Amino acid sequence: MKGSFNKKESMQKAEKFIREAAGNGAEIISLPEMWNCPYSNDYFRKYAEKESGETVEFLSSIASDLGIYLIGGSIPEIDGEDVFNTSFSFDRKGNIIGKHRKVHLFDIDVKGGIRFMESDTLTAGHDMTVIDTEYCKIGVAICYDVRFPEWFRKMALSGAKVIILPAAFNLTTGPAHWDITMRARALDNQVYFAANSPARDEAGPYQAYGGSCIVDPWGRFISHADERECIIYGDVDIETVESVRQQLPLLKHRREELY
Ligand SMILES: NC(=O)CCC(=O)C(=O)O
């Protein structure tokens, strides 16, 4: 979905997409990074809400109404003086079962391209997020976190077989790194990997690359969006994870003592 300056409008749009996805049989649904706030340091604090705020309440009630797992993309969360880029996850009853505060802040300065310093306004989280479902464990991280393979290996070693990444790459790094990074994280951890981006909004303060995708544990795209608004779907087969891990036992062949 495209971002908007109007939070109510974003919530209405998110609800429409979530209901449509659930109506088509989706059991685990995820929104993109900062879906209810313009992606800009000028707006994070203004749009930030406490965990007890209206957006978390809204996501929880949709999850319980539809009986789905909902990975609530990410939103700016305020806690005391600090603002975090936070992803709340909900079970089928609307309970919060995961709260991931983006651990690696997006501070980059690419010559002739993008400069963005999330740390000007945001505070980094410290904890890894792996949630339990009746299907398998699911890891949740946010966008720039994906640049740090160790973080994802840690999730896989903690039992994650699916990893979900609300994200918003840009027009400098997106064309260069989006596809290959998502495939690499799926492949090196032998997990299903789903990355959800906002749609591109030429009029907005940040041009998201788009390209939401789902990659299987063999590193193949099973679904891939372009830069426009849409829902993508994928079937997750846990036996495929087991089978790939058995045939190509990467996780077992690690030589940790040498690293
Ligand atoms: N929102 C983000 O963390 C953007 C990360 C990004 O674009 C990258 O190249 O990494």
Side-chain angles (χ1 to χ4, degrees), residues 33 39 102 106 108 118 142-147 167-170 173-174 177 206:
E33 184 179 22
Y39 190 74
K102 190 178 194 175
F106 179 47
I108 68 165
E118 274 190 329
I142 301 175
C143 203
Y144 191 61
D145 283 335
V146 78
R147 298 278 190 179
F169 271 33
N170 54 81
T173 60
H177 300 154
Y206 181 88

Side-chain angles (χ1 to χ4, degrees), residues 183-198:
R183 291 185 72 196
R185 291 301 83 82
L187 182 58
D188 52 25
N189 296 299
Q190 304 180 303
V191 293
Y192 283 93
F193 198 94
N196 322 78
S197 170

Side-chain angles (χ1 to χ4, degrees), residues 18-54:
I18 294 167
R19 288 192 181 277
E20 184 181 332
N24 287 330
E27 300 281 351
I28 303 168
I29 299 178
S30 175
L31 295 171
E33 184 179 22
M34 290 290 181
W35 61 271
N36 76 344
C37 167
Y39 190 74
S40 155
N41 277 321
D42 294 340
Y43 298 102
F44 294 145
R45 187 168 285 274
K46 269 187 216 150
Y47 281 65
E49 293 175 33
K50 291 191 183 153
E51 182 172 329
S52 56
E54 59 170 345

